[in-house]
Amino acid sequence: MDLKKINLKDFPTERIRNFSIIAHIDHGKSTLSDRLLETTGTISDRTRHEQFLDKLQVERERGITVKAQTASMFYEYKDELYLLNLIDTPGHVDFSYEVSRSLYACQGALLLVDAAQGVEAQTMANFYLAFDQDLTIVPIINKVDMAAADVPRVSQQMESLFDFKQKEIILTSAKTGIGITETLDAIIERIPAPQGSRDESLKALLFDSWFNDYRGVICLIAVKNGVIKKGDMITLAQQGTKYEVLELGLMYPDEKPVDALYAGQVGYLVSGMKSVKEARVGDTIFHAKKEGTPFAGFKPAQPVVFAGIFPVSNDDFEALHDAIEKLTLNDASVKVEKKSSPALGLGFRCGFLGLLHMDVFKQRLEQEYNLSVIITAPSVLYKLVLSNGTKIDVENPSDFPDTSKIDTILEPIISATIITPKKYMGNILSLCQEMRGTQVDMNYLDDERVILKYDLPLAEVATDFYDRLKSLSSGYASFDYEEKRYEESDLVKLDILLNGNPVDALSCIIHRDKAYTLGRDLTARLRKTIPRQLFVVAIQAALGAKILARETISALRKDVIAKCYGGDITRKRKLLEKQKKGKKKMKQVGNVEVPQEAFLALLKR
C-alpha cells in the first residue's frame, strides 16, 4: 500500500489498534510478525526475508529477538481501513525490561504458545507482565501444522493456567499462513482502541530510541493526546530543553516520513538531539510552553549480574566509552560506571539483567563498533553488615573489606520457576541441590510436565546454571526468575596470589564449602596460561592468610655448567649457587604480567 496516498488525519482513535506479541523464546513471534506484515501488504515479496523485524546481526546469528521492534500496518476490515501498530518483543527472561517497556505503548497483546512445547516459564512471566498492565490478551496457539503439535493438551494448559475459554483461542501456523486473517480480525474485534483526544494539547510517551550517525537520536513515540507536526517546537519533561521537529514518520516497516502524527498513533521522531543524555526512555513530550502532567515514566531496571568491560588495548578506551554510551541509549536496562583495574587498566563496571544480556551486549560492542573487549567474571550485589553496625553494598570482589571487619554477609536469593518434562526431573533436582537451592513447590502441569519452584542464590545462577539446565534436559526445560530477598550466608573472598601479591581482577566471592575446589581449579588453569619467567612463580589461592592451593611455575634457566667438561664438582656447584642467588634477587624485583589469555581462560569456568 502506498503511504503517500494515505492521510493519517483520516484515522481517529476508534480505527487504531496498538498491540504487541509476547511469548517464550522460540515460539514463533518474529515469524508471526512476518506473516502479519505480508498479509497487510506492508512488505512485498521483493523485500521480504525470514524474521524481517530482527534487524541486528546478533539476532540473525542467534535466531532470537533481543530488541523490541515496531511496525505499522493498514488492514481493511468490514470496508473500513484500520491502522495497526505492532511491537515484536523478545522472549528471553534477560530482556523482560524490553517487553514491559513495549507494553506501555499498547492496549492489547497476542499471547503466543507453541503447539508442541506448550506453556513455558517465560510464557507465564510475560502473561503476568501484560495482565498487570490491564491489557486485553488474545491467546494464540502457533505451529499447529507440526507433526508433534498437541493442540488439545496446550489448550487445556492455557485454560487451567490463564482462564482462557477454548473458543477464545486462535489456532495458527505462522510459517504456512494458517489463521493469520482470523488473528488480524481478532486484533480489531477484541483489542480496545487507544484512549485520547486530538483536541487536547500534545502529550506523547518516548518509549524507545537509538542513535544514527547522520541524524542523531531517533525516538519512538506513542502519541496520547493532541497532534505533533513537522516544524513544531517541542520540549521533554525531564530535560526541559526545546527542540524543533525535523522529521516525523511511521515505521512501515522501515522509516517512512509523514507530515503529522495524531492521538493514538505510534511513530518515530527526529529532532536533532545529539547526545545520549537528552533522550531518556519513559520521558514525556509536550509542545513548548504548553506543558502538562508528565507520564509516571518507567520503573528503572534493576541489574542482577555485574561485570567489568575493559578494552584489550588501553588506546581504545575513548572508543569504548563512546560505543557504550550509544548502546545504552538503545538498551536502557544497562547500568554503567567507570572503573580502573591494576591488571586491565581503565574500563567500565556494567550491570546487566542476566548472562545472555551480558553476552549479547559484548557481541554488539564487537560487531557494531568493531571493538575488542574483555569481560570479567560476572558477580552479584552483596549487602554487608560491618562489626561497627555500618551497612554497605559490594558487587566487586576487590572492594570487599577485611574479614575481621565483617559481621554478616547477605546474598541475593531468587525465586526460580522451572518447567521440565518429568523424565529429566531427577537431574534437575540434583542440579538445584548442588547450587544450594531450596525447593518451594512442585506441581504437575499435565501428565508429562512439571513446574518446579526453587529459591536459589543468584551468585550460583549467574555463572553456568542456565547452560547446565539446558544440557541436562536436552534443551526442553525452561527457566524464569525474579528477585526475592537477601539472606545471610557463609561467603568468603577467594584471593589469587602471584608470588605473594594478590591480583584483584582474579579474586572472587564464593561460598566457603566451594572455596577449596575452586581454588584448586583456578590455580591449575593459571599454571597452564601464565608463561614461564626467569624466576620461579608461585600461584596460590588464599582465604585471608590461609593458603588453600598452590601451583608452581619453574624458572627458565640457562645451562651455566655447559662449558664444564669433567673437572671438580665444586666448580659446577659454585656456578649453580651463583645462578640461584641471581634468581632469588630477580624474584624480589621481578613482576609477573598476567596475559589476557589467563583472564579469558578463567572466565570459561
Side-chain angles (χ1 to χ4, degrees):
M1 193 173 289
D2 190 1
L3 206 56
K4 289 174 185 170
K5 295 176 184 172
I6 289 175
N7 187 354
L8 292 183
K9 197 175 182 179
D10 300 337
F11 290 88
T13 51
E14 299 81 51
R15 287 192 7 233
I16 299 172
R17 299 290 184 271
N18 300 324
F19 67 98
S20 68
I21 304 178
I22 54 176
H24 187 82
I25 189 167
D26 210 23
H27 277 208
K29 290 181 299 303
S30 298
T31 312
L32 180 66
S33 303
D34 289 353
R35 287 304 86 77
L36 293 175
L37 292 171
E38 280 172 30
T39 308
T40 54
T42 310
I43 53 177
S44 63
D45 288 346
R46 191 165 58 87
T47 55
R48 72 171 234 182
H49 54 72
E50 294 296 310
Q51 276 80 41
F52 188 85
L53 290 178
D54 287 351
K55 294 174 182 173
L56 301 175
Q57 187 181 339
V58 59
E59 294 180 316
R60 301 210 154 280
E61 284 178 6
R62 290 171 179 256
I64 58 170
T65 305
V66 165
K67 191 85 196 75
Q69 297 290 352
T70 306
S72 296
M73 305 175 282
F74 294 95
Y75 180 64
E76 196 169 308
Y77 176 73
K78 292 185 179 173
D79 299 330
E80 281 196 301
L81 198 60
Y82 284 79
L83 169 61
L84 311 179
N85 294 307
L86 146 77
I87 301 176
D88 180 25
T89 61
H92 195 279
V93 56
D94 285 8
F95 305 104
S96 54
Y97 187 66
E98 281 287 319
V99 181
S100 63
R101 231 173 51 194
S102 306
L103 295 178
Y104 269 94
C106 300
Q107 284 74 48
L110 307 182
L111 181 72
L112 212 60
V113 180
D114 187 318
Q117 306 279 359
V119 173
E120 300 204 51
Q122 197 59 26
T123 315
M124 293 170 70
N126 283 340
F127 169 81
Y128 289 115
L129 271 178
F131 187 74
D132 290 345
Q133 289 189 30
D134 277 346
L135 299 190
T136 303
I137 299 170
V138 178
I140 296 175
I141 297 178
N142 192 25
K143 306 187 185 181
V144 293
D145 60 320
M146 285 175 66
D150 189 348
V151 175
R153 179 176 66 87
V154 178
S155 303
Q156 185 57 44
Q157 287 175 5
M158 293 177 83
E159 193 173 341
S160 61
L161 286 169
F162 308 128
D163 283 345
F164 290 127
K165 304 281 184 290
Q166 295 281 350
K167 63 173 187 278
E168 294 175 335
I169 299 171
I170 300 169
L171 306 181
T172 66
S173 165
K175 200 152 200 145
T176 58
I178 299 168
I180 300 301
T181 312
E182 290 87 334
T183 303
L184 286 162
D185 292 350
I187 290 166
I188 290 165
E189 288 164 7
R190 300 190 208 174
I191 293 175
Q195 300 292 312
S197 165
R198 292 182 187 184
D199 304 328
E200 293 182 35
S201 54
L202 174 69
K203 183 178 181 181
L205 173 72
L206 193 164
F207 68 94
D208 201 359
S209 55
W210 63 92
F211 193 84
N212 182 292
D213 287 339
Y214 304 104
R215 295 190 288 172
V217 177
I218 300 175
C219 307
L220 269 186
I221 60 167
V223 184
K224 170 83 172 133
N225 291 320
V227 182
I228 182 168
K229 294 180 180 172
K230 196 173 170 182
D232 283 357
M233 292 302 290
I234 56 165
T235 181
L236 271 73
Q238 288 179 25
Q239 293 290 330
T241 326
K242 290 181 184 174
Y243 302 97
E244 184 188 347
V245 179
L246 303 175
E247 189 183 318
L248 279 171
L250 291 179
M251 301 298 287
Y252 186 76
D254 299 315
E255 293 151 20
K256 296 282 193 302
V258 295
D259 293 328
L261 288 174
Y262 299 86
Q265 295 173 4
V266 174
Y268 72 90
L269 159 78
V270 180
S271 59
M273 295 181 199
K274 287 285 177 281
S275 83
V276 173
K277 305 274 186 300
E278 294 171 82
R280 282 276 162 251
V281 167
D283 210 342
T284 312
I285 297 169
F286 300 112
H287 274 139
K289 298 179 182 173
K290 287 188 182 177
E291 293 183 30
T293 316
F295 291 108
F298 301 135
K299 196 170 79 174
Q302 293 299 320
V304 292
V305 173
F306 296 86
I309 297 185
F310 296 89
V312 168
S313 160
N314 279 331
D315 301 339
D316 293 339
F317 176 75
E318 282 306 320
L320 177 64
H321 179 245
D322 194 38
I324 285 180
E325 274 218 326
K326 287 174 183 171
L327 260 189
T328 47
L329 171 70
N330 195 228
D331 186 354
S333 55
V334 180
K335 294 276 183 293
V336 181
E337 58 179 87
K338 283 183 184 172
K339 283 276 178 184
S340 69
S341 153
L344 297 168
L346 278 173
F348 297 88
R349 189 83 181 156
C350 300
F352 302 98
L353 299 182
L355 280 179
L356 180 67
H357 188 205
M358 179 179 90
D359 206 17
V360 163
F361 192 82
K362 173 180 181 271
Q363 198 173 333
R364 288 186 71 184
L365 281 175
E366 290 172 345
Q367 288 177 345
E368 293 174 33
Y369 298 95
N370 295 323
L371 291 168
S372 295
V373 294
I374 287 176
I375 289 203
T376 61
S379 65
V380 298
L381 187 73
Y382 298 98
K383 294 184 183 294
L384 275 63
V385 181
L386 304 182
S387 310
N388 60 7
T390 316
K391 292 182 180 178
I392 59 167
D393 290 352
V394 174
E395 39 91 355
N396 195 345
S398 57
D399 299 337
F400 231 63
D402 191 65
T403 323
S404 58
K405 295 178 183 172
I406 300 172
D407 184 31
T408 48
I409 303 173
L410 304 169
E411 69 172 337
I413 302 292
I414 58 164
S415 174
T417 305
I418 300 166
I419 299 183
T420 176
K422 64 181 181 186
K423 64 178 174 181
Y424 302 114
M425 198 167 72
N427 294 342
I428 290 168
L429 292 176
S430 305
L431 174 66
C432 293
Q433 208 68 37
E434 185 191 325
M435 296 291 181
R436 301 188 283 122
T438 310
Q439 190 174 319
V440 176
D441 194 13
M442 184 174 86
N443 286 312
Y444 276 83
L445 187 58
D446 53 35
D447 296 343
E448 283 302 311
R449 298 199 305 160
V450 184
I451 301 180
L452 297 170
K453 290 195 184 291
Y454 260 89
D455 284 354
L456 289 159
L458 180 60
E460 300 286 351
V461 175
T463 43
D464 57 355
F465 178 80
Y466 190 67
D467 291 343
R468 289 180 64 188
L469 179 75
K470 283 290 182 191
S471 58
L472 286 173
S473 64
S474 307
Y476 284 109
S478 61
F479 171 68
D480 180 47
Y481 66 88
E482 57 183 31
E483 284 187 272
K484 192 172 184 183
R485 62 176 186 276
Y486 272 80
E487 203 172 81
E488 193 176 324
S489 188
D490 186 12
L491 299 172
V492 288
K493 180 186 174 187
L494 182 70
D495 283 315
I496 300 293
L497 313 177
L498 292 182
N499 281 347
N501 301 317
V503 182
D504 270 352
L506 296 178
S507 54
C508 56
I509 299 162
I510 191 163
H511 196 270
R512 193 181 294 275
D513 294 348
K514 295 191 174 183
Y516 174 71
T517 320
L518 184 67
R520 285 285 301 271
D521 183 42
L522 292 184
T523 50
R525 259 195 279 177
L526 275 173
R527 183 171 180 264
K528 290 175 187 169
T529 50
I530 292 177
R532 287 174 72 187
Q533 311 288 320
L534 291 168
F535 48 88
V536 173
V537 179
I539 306 166
Q540 296 168 309
L543 287 187
K546 185 181 177 186
I547 304 297
L548 297 182
R550 173 184 169 128
E551 291 281 347
T552 306
I553 301 175
S554 57
L556 286 167
R557 297 168 60 143
K558 181 183 172 186
D559 191 358
V560 288
I561 56 172
K563 61 188 178 210
C564 301
Y565 296 101
D568 190 19
I569 188 69
T570 53
R571 170 78 184 139
K572 292 181 182 177
R573 264 203 202 119
K574 185 180 171 187
L575 289 168
L576 290 168
E577 284 299 321
K578 192 177 175 187
Q579 185 188 39
K580 196 174 172 184
K581 279 183 187 171
K583 296 282 183 200
K584 197 172 179 183
K585 191 175 178 185
M586 203 185 285
K587 188 175 178 179
Q588 289 169 347
V589 295
N591 187 23
V592 183
E593 286 291 322
V594 183
Q596 306 284 5
E597 296 79 48
F599 289 104
L600 296 173
L602 296 189
L603 295 184
K604 287 174 184 159
R605 66 185 171 97

